[in-house]
Amino acid sequence: MTEWSRANKRGQPVDCFLEGPCFDAAGNLHVTDIPHGRIFRISPEGDWTQLAEYDGEPNGLALHPDGRRLYVADYKQGILSLDLASGALEPVLARRNSERFKGPNDLVFARNGDLYFTDQGQSGLHDPTGRVYRLRPGGQLDCLLSNGPSPNGLVLSHDEEVLFVAMTRDNAVWRLPLLPDGSTSKVGRFASFHGTSGPDGMAMDAAGNLLVAHASLGSVFVLSPQGEPLARIRSCRGATTTNVALGGVDGNTVFVTESETGAVLTAEWPLSRS
């Protein structure tokens, strides 16, 4: 039993809880195992290699623009950097103004090197104090949002003028316009869902459609750029579909972490509409 399982699974033993699917330039898929502090690499042929095991709770992953490192959103340790060649982990950002984070969850890089990440902790509708941050390459840390009820996965629009954030306990995806001065304003609810949990990890396809993994409905929902429902990709295993990434030869294969059974699922997108 781990401290994570005590807080999140009512103390039940957990073999693994997969999250954070992220591809590198060579087409390898990387995933995290939150309660046991492990990071794995899965080759295109399906071979698994453990890259790291440490005292942490790694969740989201993002490939650094240099292509040589993965950044890790770790609930216990903050933001870490993983060297893909050696497996060495280094701290990037552990505290803000000497204060520990609530619990980082997911992260995404902009083309200019800005890093956006969510600080979820145990926030929710009872305590809407989750935060969304931007870490600039020079070290400046900006708090864009501090009233989030469980900010989780996040993704940038292709023009990088909008940041979408999954607010799990609001059962919704919020839309954060990014203004030229670096601030945000007129934040709105882009889409709403239902269920005992809520939206978790997200991805965006080449057409600007948003793919949203829902952590209790066993599905990835596909929304148009206007938030209209286009498709529902259902899990063939458990209902805890926690995160999603696009990859494969043409970038049209959906990879989903299903954490209830510790599986990585795949589906083709765009789906045939004949």
Side-chain angles (χ1 to χ4, degrees):
M1 183 184 302
T2 66
E3 188 63 32
W4 183 90
S5 69
R6 291 188 185 96
N8 295 280
K9 296 297 179 182
R10 296 183 178 271
Q12 298 177 10
V14 178
D15 291 335
C16 68
F17 195 92
L18 298 184
E19 253 280 11
C22 178
F23 284 93
D24 63 20
N28 298 300
L29 177 65
H30 300 80
V31 296
T32 59
D33 174 18
I34 299 175
H36 302 292
R38 297 184 291 183
I39 301 174
F40 295 97
R41 177 174 60 217
I42 309 171
S43 73
E45 294 75 32
D47 298 320
W48 288 60
T49 302
Q50 181 174 297
L51 294 183
E53 183 175 5
Y54 67 103
D55 179 22
E57 295 176 359
N59 198 318
L61 298 173
L63 184 65
H64 189 274
D66 66 15
R68 297 182 290 104
R69 293 174 289 166
L70 284 177
Y71 270 39
V72 185
D74 187 289
Y75 190 91
K76 291 176 65 175
Q77 306 290 354
I79 306 300
L80 307 175
S81 171
L82 172 71
D83 185 279
L84 286 172
S86 67
L89 280 162
E90 293 184 356
V92 174
L93 185 68
R95 300 194 294 178
R96 177 178 186 259
N97 296 333
S98 79
E99 180 185 30
R100 290 283 181 179
F101 293 110
K102 289 176 173 288
N105 184 285
D106 208 349
L107 66 179
V108 64
F109 276 102
R111 287 187 290 271
N112 67 355
D114 286 350
L115 178 70
Y116 295 85
F117 67 94
T118 51
D119 187 26
Q120 181 187 50
Q122 296 295 307
S123 61
L125 290 175
H126 70 298
D127 176 28
T129 57
R131 296 171 287 200
V132 178
Y133 287 106
R134 176 180 53 229
L135 177 64
R136 299 178 187 264
Q140 178 179 328
L141 183 64
D142 307 312
C143 184
L144 301 180
L145 195 74
S146 60
N147 65 330
S150 195
N152 198 320
L154 70 177
V155 67
L156 284 161
S157 62
H158 290 312
D159 60 12
E160 300 191 344
E161 294 183 358
V162 174
L163 181 68
F164 294 94
V165 180
M167 291 291 177
T168 303
R169 302 306 165 186
D170 187 40
N171 233 315
V173 175
W174 288 15
R175 182 181 183 275
L176 281 63
L178 300 174
L179 304 182
D181 67 355
S183 65
T184 187
S185 182
K186 293 186 177 179
V187 175
R189 187 177 285 117
F190 180 73
S192 295
F193 298 86
H194 63 278
T196 56
S197 183
D200 199 322
M202 300 189 296
M204 182 170 287
D205 72 8
N209 300 311
L210 191 65
L211 283 74
V212 183
H214 195 288
S216 65
L217 296 180
S219 299
V220 172
F221 295 91
V222 185
L223 308 177
S224 77
Q226 289 74 41
E228 301 164 316
L230 298 179
R232 179 176 183 174
I233 304 171
R234 294 181 182 270
S235 166
C236 59
R237 299 291 291 274
T240 312
T241 40
T242 52
N243 213 326
V244 58
L246 287 164
V249 176
D250 55 6
N252 287 335
T253 302
V254 180
F255 291 78
V256 183
T257 48
E258 198 294 294
S259 303
E260 179 183 339
T261 61
V264 177
L265 312 178
T266 63
E268 291 305 311
W269 176 259
L271 298 175
S272 172
R273 292 179 173 79
S274 59

